[in-house]
DNA sequence: TTTAAAAAAGACATTAATATCTTTTTAAAA
DNA sequence: TTTTAAAAAGATATTAATGTCTTTTTTAAA
């Protein structure tokens, strides 16, 4: 349901945070290799996210990408909204510009409920939540096959 | 979250069913006008759906589109899957090919739950459910502004 | 101060989604 | 049997998403 760009973004940011916590700032080639995404395209995405202050970057030798403490607090919702647009979590399932409880499209009720749940989750979780799961599961960012 | 094609499809099919129940088989130009979608493109979509037996069509004078009794029983899920592909309701939010309860992506748990709900709803509802709401709400298919 | 390694920027290429236009086929009715 | 109104088919255009390649800028270290 999310675009490739959103998926690469989430995978990349989780990888960056995991490496940061080992004291490393990975470059985009390494990131792309480890999350299995096209390198140059991933570079472009990160460049974009850096412009939007969602991730930080350092140029030059020993440069790379990293998340500041503040950036680790950014909600998944904010991140995704920067990519997919402001109303990804509000837009009508039927594609109507104006669709609300008073004047609903035929899909409104159920769709709104489900959409709200996703929004709620994305609102209350961060890249840190994704990177440091409490259930001890190992993190898969790359797996193409078993 | 659904593509334009899926949105036009749902709107068009609801309109067709509403007109059918008045004894009419609308043509694609009328449909497009009433659901506010690009006419030729809507024609193409309906042509496609007709090939896939999701909607029926009659050529020639007094031709148009209609839903048979059997077609009125097709689930929204089946319809959407024909457009978006078989695994729209199963695919991983992170974009990983293999992602399951045993080897989950960081987003798996919550995302799977929400996705299941949408799937469940689409599985158990049809165009008839959308067209003939029980709550007496009037149906908006076109509304661009209030 | 030169070199090396990194992101940033810019230009371009490819693919998929969306959209339009024209011609052909079909079938009902005049 | 001709006319008319419809879908079907085919060709093409446009736009947005995805992806690649090359050059420039920046910074640390040798």
């Amino acid at each position: 349901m999310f675009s490739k760009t959103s998926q690469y973004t989430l995978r990349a940011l989780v990888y960056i945070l995991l490496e940061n916590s080992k004291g490393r700032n990975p470059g985009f080639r390494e990131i792309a290799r480890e999350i299995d995404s096209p390198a140059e395209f991933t570079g472009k995405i990160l460049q974009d996210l850096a412009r939007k202050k969602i991730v930080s970057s350092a140029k030059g030798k020993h440069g790379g990408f990293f998340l500041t403490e503040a950036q680790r607090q950014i909600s998944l919702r904010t991140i995704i909204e920067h990519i997919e647009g402001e109303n990804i979590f509000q837009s009508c399932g039927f594609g109507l510009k104006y669709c609300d409880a008073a004047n609903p499209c035929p899909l409104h009720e159920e769709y709104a409920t489900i959409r709200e749940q996703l929004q709620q989750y994305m609102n209350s979780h961060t890249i840190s939540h994704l990177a440091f799961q409490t259930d001890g599961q190992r993190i898969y960012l790359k797996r193409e096959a078993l």
Side-chain angles (χ1 to χ4, degrees), chain A residues 7-8 20 22 24 26 34 42-43 46 58 68 79-80 82 85 101 112-113 116-117 122 125 128:
Chain A
Q7 296 178 344
Y8 297 157
N20 287 174
K22 296 177 196 164
R24 306 186 57 249
E34 295 304 318
T42 304
L46 289 169
T68 63
I79 295 169
I80 296 297
H82 266 287
T113 306
E116 287 293 306
Q117 284 179 54
M122 301 298 273
H125 289 76
S128 296

Side-chain angles (χ1 to χ4, degrees), chain A residues 13-127:
Chain A
L13 293 180
V14 168
Y15 180 76
I16 291 167
L17 184 50
L18 286 171
E19 290 308 301
N20 287 174
S21 72
K22 296 177 196 164
R24 306 186 57 249
N25 295 350
F28 75 86
R29 282 165 208 290
E30 171 188 334
I31 295 166
R33 188 175 355 101
E34 295 304 318
I35 69 170
D36 220 335
S37 65
E40 307 298 327
F41 188 50
T42 304
K44 280 292 179 207
I45 292 171
L46 289 169
Q47 195 179 310
D48 234 70
L49 295 171
R51 234 181 276 115
K52 288 171 175 167
K53 313 289 186 194
I54 286 170
V55 74
S56 299
S57 62
K59 277 186 167 188
K61 206 161 185 173
H62 292 224
F65 292 92
F66 60 98
L67 292 161
T68 63
E69 268 311 313
Q71 287 169 335
R72 296 175 197 201
Q73 311 304 319
I74 299 174
S75 73
L76 298 177
R77 178 186 175 172
T78 299
I79 295 169
I80 296 297
E81 279 185 347
H82 266 287
I83 298 162
E84 308 276 348
E86 288 288 319
N87 48 16
I88 170 83
F89 293 114
Q90 281 122 58
S91 61
C92 166
F94 248 52
L96 303 180
K97 267 216 194 83
Y98 301 91
C99 169
D100 51 40
N103 302 299
C105 80
L107 208 64
H108 186 78
E109 285 299 327
E110 290 278 349
Y111 190 74
T113 306
I114 290 164
R115 208 183 43 196
E116 287 293 306
Q117 284 179 54
L118 185 59
Q119 188 186 169
Q120 178 51 38
Y121 170 73
M122 301 298 273
N123 232 341
S124 58
H125 289 76
T126 63
I127 295 294

